Amino acid sequence: MSRTTTVPRLSAEAVSRAEGEQECERPMTPTLPASGHFAAPRADGHNHGTGTGTGTGTERATAPVADAAAVTPLRFGYGTNGLADLRLDDALALLADLGYDGVGLTLDHMHLDPLAPDLAARTHRLAQRLDALGLDVTVETGARYVLDPRRKHGPSLLDPDPDDRARRVDLLIRAVHVAADLGAHAVHCFSGITPPATDATTAWDRLTDALAPVLEAATTVGVPLAVEPEPGHLLATLADFDRLRRTLGDPEHLGLTLDIGHCQCLEPLSPADCIRAAAPYLRHVQIEDMRRGIHEHLPFGDGEIDFPPVLAALAATGYQGLTVVELPRHSHAGPHFAEHSLPFLRNAEAAATRTPALVPPHGDPSATPEGSTS
């Protein structure tokens, strides 16, 4: 089914990309939910793709248009991992000037380094700056090399070495306290990849044991811990999150980070149906375009997702946390994509609710920034 709504296209085809941008090109095998918790039916009675988990992702859901009077406008942010070439203060000023509601702050060596001295004082100054700019925040912990300069996302919560796992736990607890001091609405984390020669039972035991002190810290300060299903990780799907939630006894401060692109990539449900199924647990949302079976974060318009039904479904849940644009491989043109992503999303939101666009587009969204390079 083709798109029926005209939304300005945000293309990266004219912008050079870094070599090796695709994180995972092999087709993902969708995992069906282990329980009924994430088995929400589609509004039109069909499943994503063919209904067998083997759809191409080019099929489009026909979702009812939301009643504008019945929903609250969504609140959009942009991730600092897509603005890695900017100083943090410059990135925040840019997002405020562009009209974003908040920022997804990835703790990294260049953005509020969580391991550098005087973290509490630096966090306090940042909180004042965010308040002055009128930006809300969620804290993200997906920095590639913040703990180990040789291992991407290492060490993880699944590492065989308990001391290495403890380093990741310490980072997450630091993030929880940073989030509390910033007034963030959630702390994001993920499981990590299962190490070689590690069976699934052992990996799940390590994950649940490692998360226990993090959840205790989150509960103490009252900030939700929002776990993200990540393609290729132990916890990769909504069904896996459901398993974690049930194993831990459904703790109040355990929530979900839902990445809309990941839903398109490998879930058996459509992205809109993933939102409806996961609604009770939503604590943080990331958004970008993506293609079925390929884990590559794409600018809006470069993938297969039909965004008006997705945003209508999200608005209908009443979710009022940040929905953060996640383009970590596009920092070479970060200001360009930040500028054009918000008009795209506001126009898609307006199409979903039959209301005028809240933010006008800024010029030609497919234009290449002068002098841009990967």
Side-chain angles (χ1 to χ4, degrees):
M1 185 185 299
S2 63
R3 285 188 175 92
T4 58
T5 304
T6 301
V7 179
R9 179 178 175 80
L10 177 54
S11 173
E13 295 170 356
V15 180
S16 299
R17 290 180 177 156
E19 185 177 355
E21 177 175 325
Q22 292 188 349
E23 296 182 5
C24 179
E25 294 190 7
R26 68 178 179 84
M28 299 289 181
T29 301
T31 304
L32 292 173
S35 73
H37 292 286
F38 292 104
R42 290 177 57 96
D44 57 4
H46 296 84
N47 287 326
H48 180 72
T50 63
T52 61
T54 58
T56 64
T58 58
E59 300 86 350
R60 293 289 185 258
T62 302
V65 176
D67 179 0
V71 298
T72 304
L74 296 171
R75 302 169 63 248
F76 294 112
Y78 199 93
T80 58
N81 59 359
L83 297 169
D85 295 326
L86 275 65
R87 297 178 182 87
L88 180 56
D89 192 65
D90 291 340
L92 298 178
L94 171 71
L95 298 182
D97 287 346
L98 292 175
Y100 281 92
D101 300 294
V103 58
L105 173 64
T106 296
L107 301 181
D108 208 343
H109 63 90
M110 68 297 210
H111 291 157
L112 196 64
D113 188 341
L115 304 181
D118 301 321
L119 178 59
R122 290 183 288 118
T123 301
H124 178 69
R125 290 194 295 270
L126 177 57
Q128 292 178 318
R129 182 60 173 154
L130 290 167
D131 186 62
L133 292 171
L135 292 173
D136 288 333
V137 62
T138 187
V139 172
E140 304 197 4
T141 61
R144 295 183 179 96
Y145 297 103
V146 69
L147 289 178
D148 190 324
R150 293 175 176 84
R151 288 192 294 163
K152 179 182 176 182
H153 294 151
S156 79
L157 297 172
L158 309 179
D159 268 37
D161 187 337
D163 291 338
D164 277 348
R165 294 199 300 274
R167 291 173 61 203
R168 176 62 62 172
V169 169
D170 175 70
L171 174 67
L172 294 180
I173 291 175
R174 286 171 180 255
V176 166
H177 289 295
V178 167
D181 290 344
L182 293 178
H185 71 87
V187 175
H188 150 278
C189 72
F190 45 54
S191 68
I193 297 170
T194 303
T198 302
D199 63 86
T201 299
T202 299
W204 278 101
D205 286 346
R206 289 175 185 167
L207 178 61
T208 54
D209 288 346
L211 283 178
V214 184
L215 273 169
E216 181 179 355
T219 301
T220 299
V221 300
V223 176
L225 182 68
V227 180
E228 177 187 8
E230 181 78 21
H233 285 208
L234 173 69
L235 198 156
T237 66
L238 290 176
D240 294 331
F241 171 76
D242 190 42
R243 173 177 176 172
L244 175 68
R245 182 182 60 79
R246 289 183 289 110
T247 300
L248 291 173
D250 199 14
E252 178 183 356
H253 284 85
L254 177 66
L256 173 71
T257 292
L258 185 67
D259 188 303
I260 301 302
H262 295 173
C263 297
Q264 176 70 16
C265 178
L266 83 169
E267 293 287 352
L269 298 175
S270 71
D273 280 333
C274 286
I275 290 168
R276 284 185 278 268
Y281 312 106
L282 286 181
R283 299 297 179 267
H284 182 44
V285 175
Q286 297 171 343
I287 193 166
E288 69 285 319
D289 218 338
M290 202 168 287
R291 301 185 184 100
R292 185 71 174 168
I294 303 175
H295 182 203
E296 181 186 3
H297 290 234
L298 298 172
F300 299 115
D302 280 8
E304 300 168 339
I305 299 176
D306 188 18
F307 283 96
V310 170
L311 297 182
L314 186 57
T317 69
Y319 171 76
Q320 279 295 288
L322 292 174
T323 298
V324 173
V325 178
E326 185 83 356
L327 292 174
R329 293 182 180 269
H330 291 76
S331 281
H332 63 279
H336 168 78
F337 289 109
E339 180 180 1
H340 297 296
S341 292
L342 184 58
F344 181 97
L345 290 168
R346 289 299 187 201
N347 277 286
E349 182 184 27
T353 58
R354 293 198 182 102
T355 60
L358 301 180
V359 176
H362 293 265
D364 177 8
S366 63
T368 306
E370 184 176 357
S372 71
T373 176
S374 60

